[in-house]
Amino acid sequence: MFEYHGWMCIVVAPYDVEDEDEKLHQIVNYIRELIDRTLPKHHIAHLKPINGEYMACFAGFMNHRTPGAEAVINIFREVAQKAPGSYGLLYIWDESVRELNNEFQVGRLARGNFEFLKDQYLSPRIPTIEDEW
């Protein structure tokens, strides 16, 4: 089993940028095209403006890690490079990674970096959120 849940706020840079609105729209269009091209249609992927800011949300469940699963991770990596002011989290549970099959991984997007960290809120999966199988 593989599942993921994530969100991100799209921000051009952590500092003032000339022509920021134009650059933001270019980045948002790029991300929208990347989502449409790489994520399976049965996954949840929303990118929309809310109160003048752009936000994206992602979620999916699958039997195993697939190219679609890799695509959402790559979207976070792309945003880190193209819009280093962006921030967000991506929770992943990948049963196929034996040493992590009872742990969530947390991808943190901040200041132009996307890195995976150890989860402290939902892990270990058993017994924190479910009983022994």
Side-chain angles (χ1 to χ4, degrees), residues 4 15 20 34 37 39 44 47 49 51 54 70-71 74 88 92 104 107 117-118 120 128-129:
Y4 66 88
Y15 46 81
E20 185 168 8
L34 191 61
R37 183 171 39 84
L39 284 183
I44 296 170
L47 172 62
N51 197 31
Y54 278 89
E70 294 298 327
N74 288 333
I92 290 177
F104 278 87
L117 307 168
K118 186 171 177 59
Q120 60 182 344
T128 304
I129 60 174

Side-chain angles (χ1 to χ4, degrees), residues 43-75:
H43 294 228
I44 296 170
H46 298 288
L47 172 62
K48 63 190 250 180
I50 300 172
N51 197 31
E53 304 291 332
Y54 278 89
M55 181 179 180
C57 298
F58 304 92
F61 290 94
M62 53 208 81
N63 290 337
H64 58 284
R65 195 172 189 138
T66 65
E70 294 298 327
V72 76
I73 295 167
N74 288 333
I75 289 169

Side-chain angles (χ1 to χ4, degrees), residues 34-114:
L34 191 61
I35 289 169
D36 290 344
R37 183 171 39 84
T38 63
L39 284 183
K41 298 300 177 205
H42 62 278
H43 294 228
I44 296 170
H46 298 288
L47 172 62
K48 63 190 250 180
I50 300 172
N51 197 31
E53 304 291 332
Y54 278 89
M55 181 179 180
C57 298
F58 304 92
F61 290 94
M62 53 208 81
N63 290 337
H64 58 284
R65 195 172 189 138
T66 65
E70 294 298 327
V72 76
I73 295 167
N74 288 333
I75 289 169
F76 274 76
R77 287 184 177 131
E78 287 277 332
V79 170
Q81 288 184 346
K82 294 196 177 299
S86 299
Y87 56 93
L89 297 173
L90 177 63
Y91 261 72
I92 290 177
W93 178 60
D94 187 353
E95 185 180 42
S96 69
V97 179
R98 181 174 290 292
E99 62 274 7
L100 294 173
N101 70 355
N102 196 31
E103 305 286 327
F104 278 87
Q105 298 172 67
V106 183
R108 178 179 64 185
L109 171 65
R111 300 191 69 84
N113 294 304
F114 182 66

